[in-house]
Amino acid sequence: DAGVTQSPTHLIKTRGQQVTLRCSPKSGHDTVSWYQQALGQGPQFIFQYYEEEERQRGNFPDRFSGHQFPNYSSELNVNALLLGDSALYLCASSLRNRYEQFFGPGTRLTVL
Amino acid sequence: AQTVTQSQPEMSVQEAETVTLSCTYDTSESDYYLFWYKQPPSRQMILVIRQEAYKQQNATENRFSVNFQKAAKSFSLKISDSQLGDAAMYFCAYVEGFGNEKLTFGTGTRLTIIP
């Protein structure tokens, strides 16, 4: 049973560029949440997708957007990258209305 | 807004000894869930233990147990018989009840195991 997978593992971008991160949920899960973890901090909730729609959103600007596909996989897009966007981006999957979330290994984004 | 506070940035313990990590939270909700996650250097966030707020009995998972004090809004993690593999960042996390799956995390406690 495959767990949550994320790609790529690492990514280096320059300011102003755009980036897309990808996540495949654990088998059987239908809900995907994205978190940003800055160095030395706890993860911060970005948004959550269910039935291909954004259901909840944290305190992040519109530069952060996402998508969920019919197979429940998800993408996180960040436009106009800032130095402050450098972080570990974690994807978590769950069953809708179930509180337990399973995390992927994350994508380390560095913005130069 | 819900907040989670971990007041111990770093802790250390001798191998085979017991250590307790502290966590407090603030909420006006009566139905919620609490978690401890472990994040080793590999970065993978691993669920260690969970507690439903409506349950009075403290959760236990092998060497890991919690002390849940609902009135005090306190949720500490006790690790017994500490092992080298327990070395990691530990995060306390909160989620509201049924239908709301946004996890709110504390800032973490770095646990070092001394051989």
Side-chain angles (χ1 to χ4, degrees):
Chain A
D1 179 24
V4 180
T5 60
Q6 292 185 242
S7 63
T9 304
H10 297 88
L11 204 51
I12 299 175
K13 292 286 188 179
T14 57
R15 281 179 299 175
Q17 286 190 311
Q18 178 265 344
V19 68
T20 298
L21 311 182
R22 297 176 175 83
C23 172
S24 292
K26 180 178 170 66
S27 178
H29 284 182
D30 57 7
T31 301
V32 173
S33 302
W34 287 92
Y35 295 82
Q36 180 195 65
Q37 186 178 16
L39 194 63
Q41 300 296 316
Q44 298 290 317
F45 176 77
I46 302 174
F47 44 53
Q48 181 186 85
Y49 277 84
Y50 171 68
E51 289 186 338
E52 303 179 46
E53 290 190 15
E54 184 182 294
R55 300 293 178 171
Q56 281 186 278
R57 189 177 183 91
N59 188 24
F60 280 81
D62 292 344
R63 298 187 297 109
F64 289 78
S65 63
H67 189 77
Q68 185 179 35
F69 299 93
N71 67 353
Y72 307 119
S73 67
S74 177
E75 290 181 348
L76 164 66
N77 301 292
V78 187
N79 295 321
L81 284 167
L82 303 174
L83 296 179
D85 295 331
S86 295
L88 179 67
Y89 288 85
L90 296 168
C91 169
S93 75
S94 58
L95 275 171
R96 186 59 177 168
N97 293 331
R98 296 294 299 274
Y99 53 80
E100 187 168 339
Q101 297 185 27
F102 294 80
F103 283 81
T107 294
R108 172 74 66 190
L109 172 65
T110 301
V111 182
L112 301 177
Chain B
Q2 293 80 15
T3 59
V4 177
T5 301
Q6 293 180 251
S7 59
Q8 305 156 317
E10 296 184 358
M11 292 282 285
S12 61
V13 63
Q14 293 276 353
E15 194 176 1
E17 296 296 311
T18 296
V19 64
T20 298
L21 308 184
S22 301
C23 172
T24 58
Y25 58 94
D26 186 23
T27 182
S28 57
E29 302 292 329
S30 59
D31 182 22
Y32 52 89
Y33 303 88
L34 296 163
F35 307 88
W36 279 97
Y37 279 90
K38 169 185 178 181
Q39 189 178 40
S42 67
R43 310 178 324 201
Q44 184 95 37
M45 195 76 76
I46 302 165
L47 179 64
V48 173
I49 198 166
R50 61 179 176 267
Q51 174 80 43
E52 293 87 346
Y54 65 85
K55 291 186 177 179
Q56 293 185 339
Q57 186 174 4
N58 289 325
T60 298
E61 289 285 344
N62 300 313
R63 298 183 295 107
F64 299 86
S65 61
V66 299
N67 183 3
F68 174 49
Q69 301 290 327
K70 190 171 184 179
K73 297 181 181 176
S74 170
F75 182 60
S76 61
L77 174 70
K78 186 173 81 171
I79 306 174
S80 303
D81 186 26
S82 297
Q83 300 176 0
L84 294 177
D86 295 334
M89 284 292 291
Y90 285 81
F91 291 96
C92 178
Y94 161 101
V95 67
E96 283 183 12
F98 192 79
N100 186 332
E101 297 155 43
K102 166 189 170 184
L103 277 167
T104 300
F105 285 87
T107 52
T109 296
R110 181 174 301 281
L111 179 63
T112 300
I113 310 296
I114 303 168

